């Protein structure tokens, strides 16, 4: 007959000595395994004299329940402690600052285009997208520039291997597309987009650049509407401190034709190359739509008239932000681009 009190004391002492999970498991095997001391004590109940059997059995069961409960507690405690420890030591320091992702932004040309869109939207203009790959017919002939017209020299361009298919030299051919699509409705649109020219690259001209074309057609459109629209636009874009100059010019597709300059005072250190010492930078051509062009678009010049303009957003941005070289726009130099 096992002495239960001695057994209990031994089990408790051994349990207290366990400091980790493997030790606890070993304890469990020692007392509750197949040949465990407690189980053996329980099995031994048959050998106990009958008069003590009941109290022995009860005591052995109590002891078993009690020890198992203590064991579970100790196991839970050890596990909690281990978890706590690993939380302390294996801690992931999420307070470390991350590597900043480089922030992008809109290219200065796009920013400028959007400013221009917003102003014309307020004046009731819609945006019309025309094609960048044009045919010679629409880029030149329908705009009143027959083959061998001397004005074509101003717009030499990139030809493709398909005869008559070129990269557009200006956004003006879009006028033909709009008119043919919208006839006979009145028109008030801007046509933004990229243009291409085969020309000498300098501080003020590039082989690719944006233009924003404008076209207004109706029954009583006059030069006064053109001047009013352009002046209102320039005021809003540049603010009242910039001056605008309108002077007469020549384009085959307008009659009369004008050009619009923005002042670039001669005492400004970067004015030299850009304004060629004149104190002005040309930012757009414009005029009253030539009757031949109206007719090519389907509008009868006896009934309709209209004005058109074509401006250079990169030139406008140069004036607005004091940029001294148009080549900066497509260099992809972050030191330049991230300033805006
Ligand atoms: N297409 C001309 C150019 O690229 C600019 C221009 C002049 C556009 C007069 C117009 C216009 O619409 O009426 O130089």
């Amino acid at each position: 007959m096992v002495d239960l009190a001695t057994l209990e004391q031994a089990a408790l002492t051994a349990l207290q000595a366990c400091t980790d999970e493997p030790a606890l498991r070993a304890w469990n095997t020692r007392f509750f395994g197949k040949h465990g001391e407690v189980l053996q004590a329980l099995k031994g109940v048959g050998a106990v004299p009958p008069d003590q059997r009941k109290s022995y059995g009860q005591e052995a069961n109590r002891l078993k329940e009690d020890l198992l409960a203590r064991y579970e507690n100790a196991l839970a405690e050890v596990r909690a402690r281990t978890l706590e420890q690993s939380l302390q030591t294996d801690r992931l320091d999420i307070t470390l600052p991350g590597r900043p992702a480089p922030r992008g932004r809109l290219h200065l040309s796009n920013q400028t285009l959007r400013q221009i869109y917003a102003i014309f939207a307020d004046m009731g203009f819609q945006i019309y997208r025309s094609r960048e790959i044009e045919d010679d017919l629409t880029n030149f002939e329908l705009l009143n520039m027959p083959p061998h017209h001397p004005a074509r020299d101003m717009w030499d361009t990139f030809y493709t291997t398909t005869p008559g298919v070129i990269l557009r030299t200006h956004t003006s051919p879009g006028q033909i597309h709009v008119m043919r699509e919208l006839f006979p409705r009145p028109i008030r649109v801007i046509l933004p987009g990229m243009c291409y020219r085969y020309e000498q690259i300098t501080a003020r001209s590039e082989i690719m650049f944006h233009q924003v074309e404008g076209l207004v057609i109706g029954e009583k459109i006059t030069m006064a509407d053109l001047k009013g629209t352009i002046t209102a636009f320039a005021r809003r874009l540049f603010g009242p401190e910039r001056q605008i100059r309108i002077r007469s010019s020549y384009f085959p597709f307008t009659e009369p034709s004008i050009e619009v300059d923005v002042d670039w005072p001669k005492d400004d250190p970067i004015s030299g190359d850009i304004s060629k010492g004149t104190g002005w930078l040309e930012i757009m051509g414009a005029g009253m739509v030539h009757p031949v062009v109206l007719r090519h678009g389907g509008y009868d010049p006896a009934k309709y008239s209209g004005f058109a303009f074509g401006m250079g957003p990169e030139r406008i941005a140069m004036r607005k932000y004091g940029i001294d070289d148009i080549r900066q726009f497509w260099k992809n130099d972050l030191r330049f681009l991230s300033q805006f």
Side-chain angles (χ1 to χ4, degrees):
M1 187 168 109
V2 178
D3 178 12
L4 292 176
T6 310
L7 175 58
E8 182 168 25
Q9 201 45 59
L12 287 175
T13 310
L15 187 63
Q16 262 165 24
C18 296
T19 51
D20 56 15
E21 196 168 331
L24 282 169
R25 295 213 174 280
W27 179 91
N28 189 262
T29 310
R30 174 175 161 198
F31 293 99
F32 290 95
K34 221 165 154 199
H35 306 291
E37 294 178 34
V38 173
L39 288 190
Q40 293 303 322
L42 276 163
K43 279 187 193 155
V45 71
V48 175
D51 58 330
Q52 294 172 31
R53 201 174 285 162
K54 188 174 171 201
S55 64
Y56 178 92
Q58 279 175 349
E59 179 57 12
N61 266 317
R62 184 204 58 79
L63 183 148
K64 173 190 157 201
E65 298 302 327
D66 184 64
L67 284 176
L68 278 177
R70 284 171 191 272
Y71 167 74
E72 291 300 336
N73 270 344
L75 198 60
E77 246 174 56
V78 156
R79 282 183 179 160
R81 212 182 318 124
T82 314
L83 178 64
E84 185 58 34
Q85 260 168 16
S86 86
L87 282 176
Q88 291 293 335
T89 52
D90 306 341
R91 188 160 63 188
L92 191 67
D93 186 359
I94 54 166
T95 62
L96 257 184
R99 260 167 248 178
R103 272 260 221 110
R105 68 191 77 192
L106 285 180
H107 188 279
L108 178 58
S109 290
N110 282 324
Q111 292 181 36
T112 310
L113 282 169
R114 290 186 183 193
Q115 288 169 15
I116 295 171
Y117 301 162
I119 296 171
F120 280 107
D122 284 352
M123 295 200 267
F125 283 71
Q126 287 183 301
I127 294 182
Y128 186 100
R129 300 257 170 210
S130 188
R131 59 187 65 165
E132 281 180 35
I133 298 172
E134 259 303 349
D135 48 33
D136 188 276
L137 182 73
T138 321
N139 193 85
F140 293 118
E141 273 192 69
L142 296 177
L143 293 174
N144 204 23
M145 271 181 280
H148 312 300
H149 190 291
R152 284 193 178 210
D153 291 350
M154 256 163 58
W155 287 287
D156 205 1
T157 186
F158 300 95
Y159 298 88
T160 67
T161 45
T162 312
V165 175
I166 60 172
L167 297 186
R168 68 177 173 192
T169 61
H170 50 179
T171 42
S172 302
Q175 293 185 25
I176 299 291
H177 296 296
V178 180
M179 285 192 276
R180 291 187 170 177
E181 188 175 319
L182 297 187
F183 178 81
R185 281 169 279 171
I187 295 175
R188 201 193 288 168
V189 295
I190 54 172
L191 305 104
M194 196 61 96
C195 305
Y196 306 87
R197 277 180 208 178
Y198 176 70
E199 68 178 319
Q200 199 187 355
I201 303 173
T202 67
R204 44 178 282 156
S205 49
E206 250 285 15
I207 57 168
M208 59 184 262
F209 52 93
H210 285 98
Q211 276 192 345
V212 178
E213 190 83 10
L215 181 66
V216 173
I217 290 179
E219 292 199 17
K220 289 193 173 62
I221 305 294
T222 70
M223 189 85 178
D225 297 314
L226 170 58
K227 283 179 75 175
T229 305
I230 285 174
T231 322
F233 164 76
R235 277 274 166 285
R236 273 199 56 191
L237 189 79
F238 290 114
E241 60 277 7
R242 289 273 71 76
Q243 282 194 1
I244 291 296
R245 178 173 79 169
I246 292 178
R247 61 192 156 79
S248 74
S249 183
Y250 169 78
F251 296 99
F253 32 90
T254 40
E255 182 58 39
S257 303
I258 60 170
E259 273 178 296
V260 181
D261 304 333
V262 60
D263 66 335
W264 202 317
K266 290 182 193 170
D267 54 12
D268 186 306
I270 59 173
S271 166
D273 277 354
I274 295 164
S275 74
K276 291 180 186 159
T278 62
W280 299 94
L281 176 67
E282 186 214 326
I283 54 165
M284 86 175 84
M288 301 307 292
V289 181
H290 197 287
V292 166
V293 177
L294 278 175
R295 213 174 285 122
H296 284 150
Y299 286 79
D300 178 3
K303 186 172 175 202
Y304 297 96
S305 57
F307 68 77
F309 55 82
M311 67 178 79
E314 276 84 32
R315 289 244 179 121
I316 286 171
M318 287 172 78
R319 182 64 194 105
K320 235 177 119 91
Y321 300 101
I323 297 162
D324 62 356
D325 196 323
I326 201 168
R327 286 166 287 198
Q328 292 287 5
F329 282 87
W330 315 123
K331 256 193 190 162
N332 243 358
D333 187 336
L334 281 179
R335 290 170 303 178
F336 170 76
L337 295 173
S338 57
Q339 289 177 47
F340 308 100

